[in-house]
């Protein structure tokens, strides 16, 4: 597992048949949708990896693991995180490893079967490119004491690194989290031994990580979730301080250490740290009346105390008030406090003193997980308002030089218009004391280089959402190298990945290329790159990327793709003589201008809204989350207020165009009868990965009646947009110094666009007849209704250029105002386009990697050269183009 600046890793534990009755029922009954939903909830709840275990006597483990992981691979919102294959049976682990599209983790291997078997399995894991969880278990049994934990892990480390060839950072030792508070005296030091063993392992086994299954610690309190949550949270607090890198835990069952009721926290720590002989009895006694205590803490007196606490900070000296206003994101008093501070301090002294103190505190709290992204962006608003008052009173150059920790140039690359993530990263950097120069969207390479040179940038950050942006990032890296730059390059955006950065971008530029997973990590990366430890950080980053390239090459060589001809023989089988083909009320195009926002709002899916702000959790359950619930409620209230204003003042202009055309499939193409000569063809790609028996190699053309069937079918298409008003509003708010609401406007624009797509898919299904009888009323869940709306550029139809045909068929620019960039990004960014397929068999899937034979076939069908096809489909190629 490669090192990054993010720190601790949470592994979601609920997709585990031994620990989740709900998951167990789903696997036993073959309810794969329910099983996938559990995995999806773990990702939404904050898991960075999902643990998958299907071990049960009555379950065919190999078949169940294979099927579940293949289904996971076709679900983009789950497949974006790695999988930990968890099994006590090696055959199940190997079955799972053969299914993984990317890198995985195996839980677990151990020495209990002897050194020879241990080394055999370790070498297999190395071949598969997987990291290994190594249990502290040997031929004599499970390690219980600190000494045994350290002894077994040290022995395993030596074998793995010296004889099996594993890299140290691919080793995750599990020194065994054991149950405390059992009433047995010999169990009292179990947690202490784990903490101390972790410290020793991290100090003496260089590069190795430490993991633990946290739920084990609280088994004595099964049925009492408040106490279990407190035990998990406090255990993690101390374990992370000791060096724990990763934990397998229910991501939704973690609280915040500081938020635990003090008496409960003290008694839990008494147990975990074995501080007194009656610790267990005292915790059991407290557990009995905990619910009553929690209710009392929430009464009117508690609320009054909280209100009083909120006001006392206003009695502090003015410098302290300014710093506190930043950490609280409270802008109501910033002008008055700044004016008061000017009576005794020069403008530069205010910036270098209380404002920078507050910014440092915000950065520290955010890095420690005690502030969330919406709060950080509100803090930036306070800072901007204060600086706006001070700026006319001082020299801008002097202020910038004094206040800045480093100068960062950010840009969304040429051809791409998406910038929410980049804007958030800019705010996070600014709140950590960096001078940020944002070049905006659609930024040509020449401008990025010239501005970086003119400004003397310490760091350059590139962002992009659509897949063609990946090639543009490679181009920028090459140009930086050609012009002799040595400035580190940061790579971020939804389609970027550590593997793509390592394989395609890093080799082009020697100045250092670092993938930044999300905005919360950017300050840590920037700090590492601009510190005395820069060379070490870059060396570790380069070494990690070299390993990723090696593993990628090994996986490419080992990946088994079917020949295209064979994959086509395993197409979806539909009896077109009896198929239910829905005929729409009309063919051609209909335009819907100025769609009332009130009709759109009920179709908003709020869960991705919170994800954009790095608050993980499923709406509305996120409001109950002990850690993020309060901030989620505040963010949601602000969103509702701004959304009401947008509707009242008609600041967004939602528009839509949709159409239907007679269609038939010809091989893997779909031919539309749109009155054009030559006819319009939708060129489709087919899955080529090997599938278990009974599973098909899907292609969108399979869902349309073939011409040979003699039946006329129909395909639809749509383009919807929230309108240019999204960017206009965001720009106005940003100019007013309100980055918080500017980003809020953009995230609402995205939600409105996606809601428009859901609304018009409902209308499209109504036009085809079957939508009017949908049991769920055509609600938000795309799993609960007939028909799909895959978008060009995404997993089922990865070629972005299909949008050109769609826009031409709908005359979409004239109808909606939306347009395409040269790389087929949609402008405004808050726009969505896609096709409608109505066959009952139609479902979402990911094409996955394709072979050279299909690439050449596709290029011929499109009338492209092979090189052009490889450029547009680069991320999906299952072979090396070098």
């Amino acid at each position: 597992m490669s090192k990054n600046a993010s720190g601790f890793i949470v592994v979601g534990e609920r997709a585990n048949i031994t620990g989740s009755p709900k998951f167990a029922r789903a696997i036993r009954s073959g309810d794969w949708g329910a099983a996938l939903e559990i995995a999806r909830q773990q990702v939404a709840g904050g898991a960075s990896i999902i643990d998958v275990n299907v071990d049960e006597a009555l379950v065919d483990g190999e078949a169940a693991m294979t099927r579940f992981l293949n289904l996971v691979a076709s679900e983009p919102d789950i497949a974006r995180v790695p999988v930990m294959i968890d099994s006590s049976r090696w055959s199940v682990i190997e079955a799972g490893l053969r299914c993984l599209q990317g890198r995985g983790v195996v839980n677990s291997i151990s020495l209990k079967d002897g050194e020879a078997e241990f080394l055999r399995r370790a070498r297999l894991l190395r071949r598969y490119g997987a990291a290994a969880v190594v249990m502290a278990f040997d031929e004599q049994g499970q390690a219980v004491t600190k000494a045994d934990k350290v002894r077994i892990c040290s022995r395993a480390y030596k074998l793995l690194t010296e004889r099996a060839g594993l890299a140290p950072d691919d080793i995750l030792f599990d020194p065994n989290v054991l149950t405390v508070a059992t009433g047995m005296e010999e169990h009292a030091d179990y947690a202490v031994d784990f903490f101390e063993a972790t410290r020793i392992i991290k100090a003496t086994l260089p590069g190795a990580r430490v993991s633990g299954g946290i739920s084990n610690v609280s088994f004595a309190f099964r049925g009492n979730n408040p106490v279990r949550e407190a035990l998990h949270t406090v255990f993690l607090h101390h374990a992370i301080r000791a060096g724990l890198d990763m934990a397998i835990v229910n991501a939704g069952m973690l609280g915040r250490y500081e938020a635990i009721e003090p008496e409960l926290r003290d008694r839990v720590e008494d147990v975990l740290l074995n501080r007194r002989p009656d610790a267990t009895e005292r915790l059991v006694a407290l557990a009995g009346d905990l619910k009553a205590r929690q209710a009392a803490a929430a009464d009117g007196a508690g609320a009054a105390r909280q209100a009083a606490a909120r006001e006392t900070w206003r009695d502090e000296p003015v410098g302290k008030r300014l710093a506190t206003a930043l950490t609280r994101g409270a802008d109501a008093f910033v002008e008055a406090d700044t004016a008061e501070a000017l009576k005794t301090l020069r403008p530069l002294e205010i910036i270098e003193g209380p404002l920078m103190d507050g910014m440092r505190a915000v950065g520290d709290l955010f890095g420690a997980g005690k502030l969330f992204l919406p709060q950080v962006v509100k803090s930036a608003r306070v800072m901007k308002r204060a600086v706006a008052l001070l700026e006319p009173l001082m020299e801008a150059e002097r202020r910038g030089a004094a206040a800045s920790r480093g100068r960062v140039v950010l840009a969304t690359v040429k051809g791409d218009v998406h910038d929410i993530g980049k804007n958030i990263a800019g705010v996070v950097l600014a709140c950590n004391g960096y001078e940020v120069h944002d070049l905006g969207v659609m930024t040509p390479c020449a401008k990025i280089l010239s501005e970086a040179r003119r400004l003397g940038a310490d760091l350059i950050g590139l962002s992009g959402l659509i897949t063609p942006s990946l090639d543009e990032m490679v181009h920028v890296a090459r140009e930086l190298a050609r012009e002799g730059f040595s400035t580190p390059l940061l790579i971020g955006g939804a389609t970027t990945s550590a593997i793509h950065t390592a394989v395609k971008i890093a080799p082009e530029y020697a100045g250092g290329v670092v993938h930044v997973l999300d905005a919360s990590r950017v300050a840590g990366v920037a700090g590492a790159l601009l510190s005395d430890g820069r060379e070490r950080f870059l060396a570790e980053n380069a070494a990690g990327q070299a390993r990723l390239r090696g593993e990628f090459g090994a996986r490419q060589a080992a990946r088994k793709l079917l020949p295209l001809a064979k994959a086509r023989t395993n197409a979806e089988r539909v009896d077109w003589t009896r198929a239910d083909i829905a005929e729409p009320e009309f063919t051609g195009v209909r335009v819907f201008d100025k769609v009332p926002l009130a009709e759109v709002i009920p179709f908003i899916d709020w869960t991705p809204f919170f994800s954009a702000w790095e608050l993980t959790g499923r709406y509305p359950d996120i409001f109950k989350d002990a850690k993020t619930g309060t901030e989620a409620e505040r963010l949601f209230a602000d969103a509702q207020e701004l959304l009401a204003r947008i509707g009242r003042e008609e600041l967004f202009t939602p528009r839509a165009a949709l159409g239907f055309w007679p269609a038939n499939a010809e091989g893997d193409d779909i031919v539309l009868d749109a009155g054009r000569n030559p006819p319009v063809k939708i060129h489709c790609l087919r899955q080529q990965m090997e599938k278990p028996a009974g599973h098909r190699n899907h292609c969108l053309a399979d869902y349309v009646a073939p011409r040979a069937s003699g039946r006329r079918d129909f395909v639809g298409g749509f383009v919807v947009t929230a309108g240019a008003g999204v960017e206009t509003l965001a720009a106005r708010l940003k100019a007013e110094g309100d980055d918080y609401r500017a980003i809020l406007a953009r995230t609402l624009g995205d939600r409105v666009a996606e809601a428009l797509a859901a609304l018009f898919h409902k209308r499209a299904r109504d036009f085809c007849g079957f939508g009017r009888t949908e049991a769920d009323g055509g609600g938000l869940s795309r799993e609960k209704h007939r028909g799909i709306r895959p978008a060009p550029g995404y997993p089922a139809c990865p070629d972005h250029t299909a949008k050109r045909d769609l826009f031409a068929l709908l005359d979409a620019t004239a109808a909606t105002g939306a347009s395409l960039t040269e790389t087929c990004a949609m402008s405004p960014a808050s726009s969505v386009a896609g096709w409608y397929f109505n066959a009952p068999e139609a479902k979402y899937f990911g094409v996955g990697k394709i072979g050279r034979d299909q690439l050449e076939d596709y290029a011929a069908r499109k009338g492209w050269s092979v090189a052009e096809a490889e450029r547009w489909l680069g991320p999906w190629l299952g072979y090396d183009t070098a």
Side-chain angles (χ1 to χ4, degrees):
M1 297 186 62
S2 60
K3 236 177 186 176
N4 58 49
S6 64
F8 193 68
I9 298 171
V10 173
V11 181
E13 69 171 358
R14 305 310 290 170
N16 187 320
I17 207 168
T18 62
S20 169
K22 188 175 180 181
F23 186 77
R25 286 194 297 272
I27 295 297
R28 290 190 206 106
S29 64
D31 188 350
W32 300 104
L36 287 171
E37 183 58 28
I38 292 167
R40 187 177 288 111
Q41 288 169 1
Q42 290 290 283
V43 176
S48 302
I49 299 174
I50 54 170
D51 178 82
V52 178
N53 184 309
V54 294
D55 284 359
E56 191 180 76
L58 299 179
V59 171
D60 182 338
E62 291 88 343
M65 182 67 78
T66 298
R67 182 163 188 182
F68 185 66
L69 292 185
N70 281 331
L71 291 170
V72 163
S74 67
E75 296 286 335
D77 50 348
I78 307 174
R80 64 187 177 87
V81 303
V83 169
M84 175 182 284
I85 302 170
D86 186 349
S87 179
S88 59
R89 304 207 309 271
W90 187 253
S91 60
V92 175
I93 288 175
E94 283 206 88
L97 286 168
R98 286 192 288 268
C99 297
L100 295 184
Q101 296 290 311
R103 193 144 186 251
V105 186
V106 163
N107 187 10
S108 60
I109 61 173
S110 76
L111 283 158
K112 67 179 180 181
D113 295 320
E115 285 189 4
E117 182 63 11
F118 179 68
L119 289 169
R120 185 186 74 83
R121 293 177 177 180
R123 289 172 181 134
L124 283 170
L125 294 187
R126 182 186 174 200
R127 186 191 309 166
Y128 281 109
V133 174
V134 182
M135 301 298 295
F137 204 119
D138 67 4
E139 300 90 339
Q140 300 173 38
Q142 184 181 48
V144 172
T145 65
K146 175 184 69 176
D148 280 344
K149 294 175 192 288
V150 172
R151 175 182 59 80
I152 294 173
C153 292
S154 300
R155 176 188 171 199
Y157 181 86
K158 185 177 179 67
L159 289 168
L160 292 171
T161 56
E162 295 180 5
R163 295 177 59 184
L166 263 68
D169 58 4
D170 281 342
I171 303 168
L172 295 133
F173 286 114
D174 186 338
N176 304 324
V177 178
L178 303 173
T179 306
V180 298
T182 64
M184 299 177 68
E185 185 177 347
E186 58 267 34
H187 298 171
D189 272 330
Y190 276 174
V192 173
D193 281 348
F194 184 92
F195 302 149
E196 293 184 358
T198 297
R199 287 191 182 93
I200 296 170
I201 290 167
K202 294 302 291 290
T204 61
L205 306 180
R209 314 293 183 89
V210 178
S211 175
I214 306 305
S215 298
N216 293 348
V217 78
S218 66
F219 279 165
F221 288 91
R222 279 177 291 187
N224 191 324
N225 281 346
V227 174
R228 292 199 74 181
E229 180 179 306
L231 277 161
H232 298 168
T233 303
V234 176
F235 185 92
L236 276 176
H237 174 80
H238 290 284
I240 291 169
R241 288 187 168 193
L244 187 72
D245 300 285
M246 185 171 84
I248 305 172
V249 64
N250 183 352
M253 198 176 175
L254 284 177
R256 190 161 63 92
Y257 176 81
E258 293 82 359
I260 300 172
E261 183 186 8
E263 185 179 14
L264 174 60
R265 186 175 64 226
D266 288 345
R267 294 200 184 184
V268 166
E269 287 190 321
D270 285 343
V271 167
L272 292 176
L273 302 179
N274 195 17
R275 295 194 298 205
R276 50 190 296 164
D278 60 347
T280 295
E281 291 79 5
R282 283 163 49 82
L283 182 56
V284 171
L286 179 60
D289 62 357
L290 183 61
K291 290 184 180 179
R293 286 176 178 270
Q294 289 177 327
D299 66 8
R305 285 193 299 274
Q306 290 177 4
R310 281 196 295 270
E311 294 303 320
T312 56
W313 72 280
R314 297 300 307 154
D315 298 327
E316 299 283 351
V318 66
K320 180 71 172 176
R321 294 202 304 268
L322 281 169
T324 302
L326 275 165
T327 58
R328 289 172 174 265
D331 63 350
F333 308 100
V334 66
E335 286 87 356
D337 287 346
T338 303
E340 182 180 339
L342 281 168
K343 295 176 182 178
T344 56
L345 296 172
R346 293 167 43 242
L348 183 60
E349 290 173 332
I350 295 173
I351 289 177
E352 290 185 326
L355 293 180
M356 285 304 297
D357 288 344
M359 286 174 65
R360 280 189 289 271
V362 168
D364 291 344
L365 289 167
F366 183 53
K370 297 176 182 178
L371 281 185
F372 300 105
L373 189 58
Q375 295 165 297
V376 172
V377 180
K378 289 176 184 176
S379 298
R381 178 173 60 184
V382 178
M383 183 71 177
K384 279 198 169 186
R385 291 190 178 179
V387 170
L389 292 171
L390 300 170
E391 198 169 29
L393 307 176
M394 59 185 294
E395 292 179 2
E397 292 82 5
R398 185 180 179 196
R399 175 184 62 80
S404 175
R405 291 179 60 188
R407 189 169 291 163
V408 185
V409 168
L410 299 178
T412 300
V413 296
K414 176 184 175 184
D416 205 324
V417 298
H418 299 87
D419 66 350
I420 291 176
K422 171 177 63 67
N423 292 340
I424 292 174
V427 169
V428 170
L429 286 167
C431 281
N432 280 271
Y434 296 91
E435 179 186 334
V436 178
H437 295 266
D438 188 341
L439 305 185
V441 301
M442 296 278 290
T443 313
C445 176
K447 182 177 180 181
I448 294 171
L449 271 60
S450 65
E451 286 297 283
R453 182 174 283 115
R454 181 182 71 82
L455 293 165
D458 298 299
L459 300 172
I460 300 170
L462 304 182
S463 177
L465 178 70
I466 61 173
T467 50
S469 299
L470 300 175
D471 282 338
E472 183 63 19
M473 291 176 182
V474 174
H475 172 63
V476 173
R478 287 173 180 155
E479 290 300 293
L480 286 169
R482 189 177 65 82
E483 296 201 12
F485 276 79
S486 59
T487 309
L489 184 61
L490 309 183
I491 302 295
T495 58
T496 65
S497 67
I499 288 179
H500 181 272
T501 302
V503 173
K504 296 294 185 180
I505 306 177
E508 303 294 339
Y509 182 54
V513 182
V514 183
H515 180 252
V516 183
L517 185 62
D518 55 48
S520 65
R521 292 159 167 84
V522 69
V525 171
L529 288 170
L530 299 181
S531 71
D532 293 339
R534 165 177 170 156
E535 295 307 318
R536 179 179 176 184
F537 179 85
L538 284 173
E540 290 180 350
N541 181 67
Q545 289 177 336
R547 281 195 294 274
L548 286 176
R549 286 192 290 273
E551 292 159 3
F552 176 79
R555 284 198 301 273
Q556 292 289 87
R559 178 177 285 119
K560 293 183 179 179
L561 295 179
L562 296 175
L564 178 59
K566 186 172 182 180
R568 283 172 171 166
T569 65
N570 193 40
E572 184 79 41
R573 287 172 169 75
V574 179
D575 183 355
W576 290 106
T577 63
R578 300 182 179 182
D580 176 14
I581 295 178
E583 183 168 350
E585 293 178 3
F586 68 94
T587 56
V589 179
R590 288 190 182 178
V591 175
F592 300 83
D593 194 30
K594 293 184 179 179
V595 182
L597 194 60
E599 294 183 15
V600 181
I601 290 173
F603 285 82
I604 292 179
D605 180 359
W606 287 102
T607 297
F609 169 80
F610 292 107
S611 296
W613 286 92
E614 297 185 13
L615 295 175
T616 51
R618 183 170 291 275
Y619 171 83
D621 294 341
I622 190 172
F623 299 139
K624 302 174 186 176
D625 188 276
K627 186 176 182 182
T628 60
T630 300
E631 191 55 37
E633 287 180 342
R634 292 195 188 107
L635 177 65
F636 189 65
D638 290 343
Q640 296 305 305
E641 179 184 344
L642 184 56
L643 194 57
R645 176 189 167 193
I646 290 166
R648 187 171 58 251
E649 300 178 19
E650 297 185 350
L651 301 177
F652 291 0
T653 51
R655 293 186 174 94
L658 68 83
F660 295 100
W661 304 275
N664 285 110
E666 290 184 352
D668 287 352
D669 290 337
I670 301 167
V671 182
L672 304 183
D673 182 5
R676 301 187 180 216
N677 191 17
V680 176
K681 288 186 178 182
I682 306 172
H683 303 283
C684 304
L685 290 164
R686 183 173 297 281
Q687 293 176 328
Q688 283 186 265
M689 70 279 283
E690 280 190 329
K691 295 290 193 80
H695 294 259
R696 301 299 174 188
N697 290 82
H698 299 292
C699 174
L700 287 175
D702 296 345
Y703 304 140
V704 179
R707 191 173 299 282
S709 70
R711 300 192 66 184
R712 186 173 76 157
D713 207 339
F714 299 88
V715 167
F718 70 94
V719 171
V720 298
T721 180
V726 177
E727 291 303 318
T728 301
L729 175 60
R732 187 196 318 159
L733 291 168
K734 186 170 185 177
E736 294 170 358
D738 196 344
D739 277 311
Y740 173 65
R741 282 190 170 79
I743 295 172
L744 196 61
R746 286 191 171 96
T747 50
L748 285 174
D750 277 5
R751 288 300 90 215
V752 167
E754 292 290 348
L756 272 168
L759 167 62
F760 277 91
H761 193 194
K762 166 60 178 166
R763 291 191 181 178
R765 298 193 303 274
D766 289 348
F767 287 136
C768 293
F770 56 85
R772 299 188 182 97
T773 61
E774 288 172 338
D776 71 335
L780 295 177
S781 173
R782 66 188 187 186
E783 306 296 336
K784 294 182 180 178
H785 54 65
R786 172 176 166 177
I788 59 173
R789 50 181 171 93
Y794 292 89
C797 43
D799 181 3
H800 278 275
T801 67
K803 279 182 269 189
R804 293 171 179 164
D805 290 327
L806 183 54
F807 266 64
L809 284 164
L810 294 167
D811 196 11
T813 299
T816 68
S819 60
L820 295 175
T821 70
E822 61 190 281
T823 55
C824 295
M826 285 181 286
S827 180
S830 297
S831 304
V832 181
W835 304 106
Y836 294 136
F837 291 87
N838 294 331
E841 296 81 5
K843 60 183 176 183
Y844 294 96
F845 62 90
V847 167
K849 298 295 184 181
I850 63 172
R852 189 184 296 272
D853 57 350
Q854 181 161 200
L855 188 284
E856 292 173 350
D857 177 89
Y858 188 78
R861 289 187 278 141
K862 290 278 288 191
W864 283 349
S865 68
V866 169
E868 186 174 11
E870 288 178 337
R871 181 169 70 87
W872 283 103
L873 295 173
W876 286 273
L877 301 182
Y879 60 93
D880 190 353
T881 59

